[in-house]
């Protein structure tokens, strides 16, 4: 998606060879017009797939997921992060290792929002090693729902996420594929 790549080049900050900061338009301040285009781009790729729900993870997945949900006309569920879980009834629960925080957290979705009848599009802001996507897939599988694919705003293609997800048979659609974060510069794969 050209507008997204231009925005990354203009306002993304290369923190290290592993981490890109995009808090000017996605992770802290949000560019609504760009997010609308992001939602449209996801919808274009998954429109005929019979999707009934979108699932993402708080907080940074919510903006692109809501915009895709608006385009596809389906509800959006965001998995919530818990430090500790006191009430475990009626929740699907999984653990996720956070790439940016380098710590493990528990995520959950209420069972009342997802069922075996659902066909789900997973959306997240970044794909690195695939831990967040795998945890979301775990939650969706607990509900017995099926998965149409995984929509990613920014994929870091030099990390393992896509390979892992594709090896398990999932369709991965990324709107920007970062080839490298070298010498303080972002380069794209295509
Ligand atoms: P993964 O679980 O695929 O290893 O990492 C994806 C998750 O970690 C995303 O939900 C995202 O929030 C965060 N993340 C991974 N890499 C980056 C990055 O380079 N920049 C930012 N801002 N977040 C990242």
């Amino acid at each position: 998606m050209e507008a997204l790549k231009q925005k990354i080049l203009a306002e993304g900050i290369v923190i290290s060879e592993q981490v890109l900061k995009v808090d000017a338009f996605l992770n802290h301040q949000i560019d609504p017009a760009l997010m609308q285009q992001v939602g449209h781009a996801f919808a274009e790729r998954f429109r005929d797939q019979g999707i009934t729900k979108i699932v993402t993870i708080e907080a940074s997945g919510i903006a692109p997921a809501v915009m895709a949900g608006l385009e596809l006309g389906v509800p959006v569920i965001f998995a919530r992060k818990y430090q500790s879980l006191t009430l475990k009834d009626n929740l699907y629960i999984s653990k996720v290792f956070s790439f940016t925080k380098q710590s493990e957290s528990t995520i959950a979705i209420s069972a009342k929002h997802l069922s075996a009848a659902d066909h789900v599009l997973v959306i997240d802001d970044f794909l690195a090693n695939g831990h967040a996507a795998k945890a979301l897939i775990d939650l969706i599988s607990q509900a017995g729902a099926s998965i149409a694919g995984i929509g990613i705003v920014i994929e870091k293609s030099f990390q393992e996420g896509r390979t892992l997800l594709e090896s398990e048979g999932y369709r991965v659609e990324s709107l920007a594929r970062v080839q490298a974060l070298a010498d303080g510069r972002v380069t794209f794969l295509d």
Side-chain angles (χ1 to χ4, degrees):
M1 186 186 143
E2 195 51 38
L4 174 63
K5 290 199 272 186
Q6 290 306 322
K7 192 75 166 179
I8 293 168
L9 290 175
E11 298 187 23
I13 298 168
V14 176
I15 299 288
S16 69
E17 292 191 350
Q18 306 290 316
V19 179
L20 175 65
K21 188 171 178 176
V22 290
D23 68 345
F25 59 93
L26 178 57
N27 289 151
H28 189 24
Q29 176 171 263
I30 292 170
D31 181 334
L34 183 69
M35 284 308 114
Q36 194 172 32
Q37 293 177 59
V38 161
H40 183 76
F42 282 136
E44 287 292 288
R45 292 170 192 225
F46 288 99
R47 204 178 293 283
D48 300 323
Q49 300 296 308
I51 288 157
T52 62
K53 295 267 168 87
I54 292 175
V55 168
T56 187
I57 183 168
E58 68 175 351
S60 298
I62 296 175
V66 167
M67 290 305 187
L70 193 62
E71 285 272 344
L72 289 169
V74 299
V76 177
I77 307 164
F78 61 94
R80 307 190 66 160
K81 293 176 185 163
Y82 292 87
Q83 291 298 342
S84 65
L85 277 175
T86 46
L87 185 66
K88 295 191 177 170
D89 287 353
N90 232 14
L91 290 177
Y92 303 123
I93 297 167
S94 193
K95 292 208 182 293
V96 58
F97 183 79
S98 165
F99 178 81
T100 42
K101 297 194 184 80
Q102 291 288 305
S103 64
E104 193 176 68
S105 63
T106 302
I107 61 168
I109 286 177
S110 170
K112 70 180 174 205
H113 299 309
L114 208 53
S115 80
D118 283 312
H119 192 47
V120 179
L121 170 60
V122 175
I123 285 187
D124 203 7
D125 59 340
F126 273 91
L127 178 62
N129 294 312
H131 294 131
K134 285 281 290 180
L136 292 175
I137 289 167
D138 182 22
L139 296 179
I140 295 160
S141 303
Q142 288 176 43
S146 53
I147 294 167
I150 297 145
I152 298 292
V153 182
I154 304 173
E155 169 189 320
K156 290 180 294 175
S157 305
F158 54 89
Q159 291 168 319
E160 294 304 309
R162 172 181 282 270
T163 306
L164 174 79
L165 295 169
E166 286 185 337
S167 74
E168 297 188 8
Y170 296 107
R171 174 181 170 196
V172 179
E173 291 285 344
S174 305
L175 304 185
R177 301 185 70 194
V178 174
Q179 182 178 40
L181 300 172
D183 305 322
R185 285 181 48 242
V186 183
T187 50
F188 296 103
L189 209 54
D190 42 36

